[in-house]
């Protein structure tokens, strides 16, 4: 999967770390008190990293919004299969991640 459409360096680095299951690179991008929300519910970031890396990844990213901080695309999970998901990053002034919201994209009918 190509990450050349990702314009925010921290977001690009985070996606590349996820894709490559590089936990060390991923962890360096977050502040010590960063929070993770999964479908609106608080989730332990360290546990997410431990459980997901190497088992979850983007298949493609085809929507970018919020000045490059919101990404959406097809996602694969060894446990849950393939589905649309989003990652929405919040960065501090040092471009480190303070909050990450992830979740399944809901169909709007």
């Amino acid at each position: 999967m190509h990450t050349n459409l990702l314009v925010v360096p921290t977001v690009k680095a985070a996606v590349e770390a996820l894709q490559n299951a590089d936990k060390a690179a991923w962890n360096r991008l977050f502040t010590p008190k960063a929070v993770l929300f999964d479908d609106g519910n608080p989730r332990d970031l360290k546990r997410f990293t431990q459980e997901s890396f190497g088992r979850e990844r983007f298949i493609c990213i085809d929507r970018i919004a919020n000045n490059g901080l919101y990404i959406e695309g097809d996602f694969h999970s060894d446990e849950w299969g393939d589905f649309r998901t989003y990652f929405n990053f919040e960065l501090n002034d040092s471009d480190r991640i303070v909050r990450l919201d992830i979740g399944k994209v809901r169909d709007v009918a």
Side-chain angles (χ1 to χ4, degrees):
M1 188 203 67
H2 299 289
T3 59
N4 56 341
L5 295 177
L6 303 176
V7 297
V8 177
T10 302
V11 171
K12 183 175 183 172
V15 171
E16 289 173 346
L18 175 70
Q19 297 299 103
N20 296 318
D22 187 342
K23 294 176 190 174
W26 171 266
N27 289 328
R28 282 193 300 272
L29 299 169
F30 289 83
T31 64
K33 294 186 179 188
V35 294
L36 171 68
F37 287 84
D38 188 347
D39 283 325
N41 300 305
R43 184 166 177 195
D44 184 88
L45 178 60
K46 289 179 183 170
R47 189 172 187 183
F48 167 79
T49 303
Q50 195 64 29
E51 294 173 351
S52 301
F53 273 54
R55 294 181 278 286
E56 296 185 359
R57 65 199 159 280
F58 277 98
I59 299 166
C60 73
I61 296 171
D62 54 18
R63 181 166 181 247
I64 300 169
N66 191 22
N67 296 312
L69 297 173
Y70 175 94
I71 61 174
E72 182 179 310
D74 295 330
F75 197 76
H76 174 79
S77 166
D78 290 351
E79 182 177 355
W80 303 105
D82 297 342
F83 52 93
R84 298 271 312 160
T85 196
Y86 68 88
F87 278 36
N88 192 57
F89 297 85
E90 185 178 322
L91 308 181
N92 67 9
D93 291 339
S94 301
D95 291 328
R96 292 187 66 207
I97 303 165
V98 295
R99 178 179 173 139
L100 175 59
D101 289 271
I102 64 174
K104 193 179 278 191
V105 175
R106 307 287 180 219
D107 290 331
V108 178

